[in-house]
Amino acid sequence: MTRTVALTTWLDAPPEAVWDHAQTSALLRHVAAPLIRFVPCGGRFPRRWTPGEYRAWMFVFGILPIGWQVIGIEFPASPPTAHVLRDNGHSPFVRRWDHWIEIAPGDRCTRYTDRVHIDAGMLTPLVALVAMLSNHAADAGYVVMIPLAGILFASAGRHPLAGIAAAFAGVSGGFSANISPGQLDPVLFGITEAAYGASNIDAGWTMNIAGNAYFIA
């Protein structure tokens, strides 16, 4: 489902000066920081944007990698007194990121309008899956994944509480019923192995660390 978010700001600066700054890659880094840091793939961003596609890795808080994003720069036709810049981008998490920036003169100021059309695609199941697998880092899944999911959903134009809920469900549900052995398996393995050894059923049988998966899934 595509959502549209629009925001208009009135800036106390000449339109040409605002347009000059809007065309620089430094503005992207400034606006995204400190939540998101963009690192260009295989090179560096141009100082001033030119039409084309630029792929960049994204890091939350500048540290945690969350995948790549395509920045698709276009300069669509605009009215004679206005300037328009478009970022027609996408990523594995956000199927459509269509960002339009329109700069036009106002009454002794500049009208700066952001309009973003967003389709988050498979963001919810991906967040839930990664949250479930985060149990392999013990309780760090609760500490890291839940707020991180809120930030991801907010950046995709969705309510951050929805991301928090999806991550909490994934982390909590994956505590035992995970798709691969996790932190609980070696704990239960020690108990089960001791109980089996005391039973004297088959002294030559060797237990598997995933032997309890059927019962805790």
Side-chain angles (χ1 to χ4, degrees):
M1 182 179 66
T2 300
R3 297 186 57 185
T4 300
V5 180
L7 176 65
T8 296
T9 306
W10 300 91
L11 302 176
D12 186 16
E16 293 305 322
V18 175
W19 174 240
D20 186 62
H21 282 288
Q23 297 177 79
T24 63
S25 58
L27 182 64
L28 170 66
R29 292 191 175 97
H30 177 75
V31 172
L35 291 181
I36 303 291
R37 179 167 65 96
F38 289 90
V39 177
C41 300
R44 63 179 61 185
F45 290 138
R47 193 183 71 84
R48 297 177 68 85
W49 294 118
T50 57
E53 289 193 348
Y54 305 88
R55 181 169 296 204
W57 296 105
M58 297 185 296
F59 296 82
V60 173
F61 303 127
I63 301 173
L64 301 173
I66 57 172
W68 53 264
Q69 169 85 14
V70 167
I71 303 171
I73 299 297
E74 302 175 14
F75 293 95
S78 59
T81 59
H83 301 285
V84 177
L85 170 64
R86 181 187 186 192
D87 171 15
N88 189 17
H90 61 87
S91 73
F93 292 111
V94 180
R95 187 160 40 200
R96 180 189 181 196
W97 176 270
D98 193 1
H99 182 193
W100 292 70
I101 298 174
E102 182 179 323
I103 297 170
D107 185 11
R108 290 184 295 180
C109 61
T110 298
R111 187 182 77 242
Y112 184 101
T113 300
D114 279 301
R115 185 175 292 104
V116 186
H117 308 284
I118 309 164
D119 184 356
M122 299 292 290
L123 184 59
T124 300
L126 284 173
V127 165
L129 175 63
V130 173
M132 182 174 66
L133 294 174
S134 70
N135 272 288
H136 296 319
D139 294 336
Y142 283 101
V143 178
V144 176
M145 272 308 303
I146 293 177
L148 179 59
I151 294 172
L152 280 174
F153 270 60
S155 67
R158 301 175 64 178
H159 203 294
L161 288 180
I164 290 172
F168 181 80
V171 174
S172 301
F175 183 75
S176 330
N178 216 311
I179 61 176
S180 61
Q183 58 169 336
L184 192 60
D185 291 275
V187 175
L188 296 179
F189 173 75
I191 300 172
T192 307
E193 186 180 40
Y196 182 82
S199 67
N200 294 319
I201 296 176
D202 184 358
W205 185 67
T206 302
M207 287 197 60
N208 189 296
I209 193 172
N212 293 288
Y214 177 83
F215 301 99
I216 65 176

